[in-house]
Amino acid sequence: MAGAYHAETFTADERAVLARHVSDVDSPVFVLTNLPQVTSAALFARYSRSAKSLRRLLLDEFLNSGDAGVAPPLAAETGKARASDLFGRVLAEYGDDSVAQLAGVHVACEQVSQPLAKAIEWGRLAGYLEQSTRYIAYTDRRDGHYRYHRDPELMASSHGDDYTAALDGLFDTYISLQGPLRTHLDATLPAEADQAARRRAVRALTLDLLRGILPAGTVSNVGVFGSPQAFEQLVLRLRAHRLPEARAYAELLNTQLQGVIPEFLTRLDRPDRGGEWVHYLRETARELEGDAAALAPEREWAPDGVTLVDWNRDGENRILAAALFPHSQASEERLLAAVRPLSEARRAALFAAVVGERRNRRHRPGRGFEHCEYTFEVVSDYGAFRDLQRHRMLTIQWQELTPALGYAIPREVDAAGLATRWRDAVGAAEAAHQRIAAHFPQQAQYLVTLGHRVRYLIKLNAREAMHLIELRTSPQGHPSYRRVCQEMHRLIDEVAGHHLVAGAMRFLGSDDVHLPRYEAEARVAASSD
Ligand SMILES: Cc1cc2nc3c(=O)[nH]c(=O)nc-3n(C[C@H](O)[C@H](O)[C@H](O)COP(=O)(O)OP(=O)(O)OC[C@H]3O[C@@H](n4cnc5c(N)ncnc54)[C@H](O)[C@@H]3O)c2cc1C
């Protein structure tokens, strides 16, 4: 290839073989095709210890039948076996965990309770997709049971029937309230131009409002895409988890993963590696539990709310200095000294330059914005927490789920005259929780509803705050996390006094939305016309 890039010379035979495994035989950029994951990962790992190009490595070390010439493409299994052998050597030579970041696996995790889903989704370096409580009505029964987790030990105990009755009561109520609430919403919400879109939006709002009565034991399906390293961490984390369901699930995961990517997971089942790691996680948590009980044993009550507990006092100046840094040859200290004395108008103009002209919420300012951090303590319903926890850039820590902080009934449910039925079902579940928690403290969490409150800490930088707040206040968002994020925005503005940061979030959705899904549903209808 003429021009800036050298084109390596290959024989005609080599080109023919390569063509099956790379998207382009000449370009400096090419995609690996038709290779087992382990082969691709081992190849990449060899990059760092070899002067050869990747195509040459592929020919010489993976596809070549010997010194004499090029073999036809290897059957996937043979190639994999050779790669596995090489992978062991490469890994030993390379001596770094990052080789396990060079592959990716899609894993379906089905029938997981909400606390387990949160434990799975804790890992940052993976992509997740989970069944929605907004589009799935959770009304069906499987093997005669509603969709909730049935812990084998609990079910075999004398508390099994108590647990079943309480959870069935919640699901029965969830189902029986759907019709009347939908009728009430339909009758009371303003008319919209598109009747079909309005109907779908009313259905979604009904399910949104009723999800608060679903128990945390409700099971859903979670799709996970991640690297072998992410899955190794996941198995370790679940093995060390206090929830028996999580520990059992770790073994289900490990069995499947060992069948597909065993080369990457050799440490997991070794007592001196994976075993020690789990021990470390478990013991650290156990120790801290003791310390927390000794230092602050009280169960503090708190209402719904968001508190800004900490932030960078000089955060806006730090953003300005960090944004200028890559465009300058001065130190950060010098840049800070230059921006601190600026007049308000000059600072605002400079800040506007940092933010740029954002035409939509995906236009986000650069990483200079990551130099200002905020810590919020939030008390919200578990449903809102569950959604916000999906943001992997957050540092988010939460407390164990109990009914102690109470729950709120959506005002629409109250207005429809359905609050008493809600209260009765949740009251029965709380009573069962009290009886069961003494014997099964972990499994008792399943009886707590998505409407019960939980306390959590969120630490995030201004760039992620912009993403989180703008996304989660958008009109199609769930009302409960919309409120949390609107409040976070207000606190950044009024308590931190970061008017420039707050003002940069120009796609904040702050109006009261009466029918969250309507606009989106109407857009879908219009685009399919
Ligand atoms: C209205 C609404 C409905 C939703 N419905 C569903 C649903 O039905 N089911 C469901 O599962 N989720 C649903 N979600 C959640 C959504 O899919 C995202 O998981 C969640 O909002 C986190 O967003 P994020 O990935 O952009 O953010 P963060 O995790 O905060 O990440 C910020 C950005 O960093 C990058 N990033 C972070 N981690 C990775 C990574 N591992 N790989 C690649 N890039 C990364 C991405 O660019 C991302 O946008 C919904 C969200 C909204 C607002």
Side-chain angles (χ1 to χ4, degrees), residues 124 126 129-130 132 390-393 464 467 471-472:
R124 288 200 174 105
L129 215 70
E130 192 181 339
S132 167
R390 291 291 301 282
H391 289 270
R392 294 152 294 182
M393 305 296 279
E464 174 65 5
H467 175 58
L471 177 69
R472 294 296 182 171

Side-chain angles (χ1 to χ4, degrees), residues 312-369:
N312 293 125
R313 268 38 183 191
D314 202 19
E316 291 187 333
N317 286 329
R318 293 177 64 89
I319 288 174
L320 290 176
L324 292 170
F325 188 84
H327 305 284
S328 145
Q329 292 295 315
S331 66
E332 198 224 15
E333 197 182 347
R334 170 73 189 88
L335 288 164
L336 268 174
V339 298
R340 278 188 183 128
L342 292 179
S343 70
E344 212 171 301
R346 182 74 186 92
R347 272 180 91 233
L350 185 56
F351 211 88
V354 171
V355 175
E357 197 187 329
R358 302 182 64 220
R359 301 234 168 98
N360 66 55
R361 67 172 176 78
R362 290 180 180 81
H363 294 175
R364 251 171 278 152
R367 292 195 175 173
F369 246 65

Side-chain angles (χ1 to χ4, degrees), residues 405-447:
L405 294 178
Y407 63 95
I409 298 178
R411 63 172 192 281
E412 294 87 342
V413 172
D414 204 8
L418 304 170
T420 307
R421 284 156 72 182
W422 182 302
R423 231 173 263 122
D424 288 349
V426 174
E430 286 187 339
H433 180 279
Q434 206 166 16
R435 291 187 292 271
I436 293 173
H439 310 276
F440 295 95
Q442 284 297 309
Q443 293 92 325
Q445 291 183 82
Y446 300 135
L447 288 147

Side-chain angles (χ1 to χ4, degrees), residues 2 19 144 155 224 324 449 480 490:
M155 297 317 294
V224 188
L324 292 170
T449 67
S480 57
R490 188 188 70 75

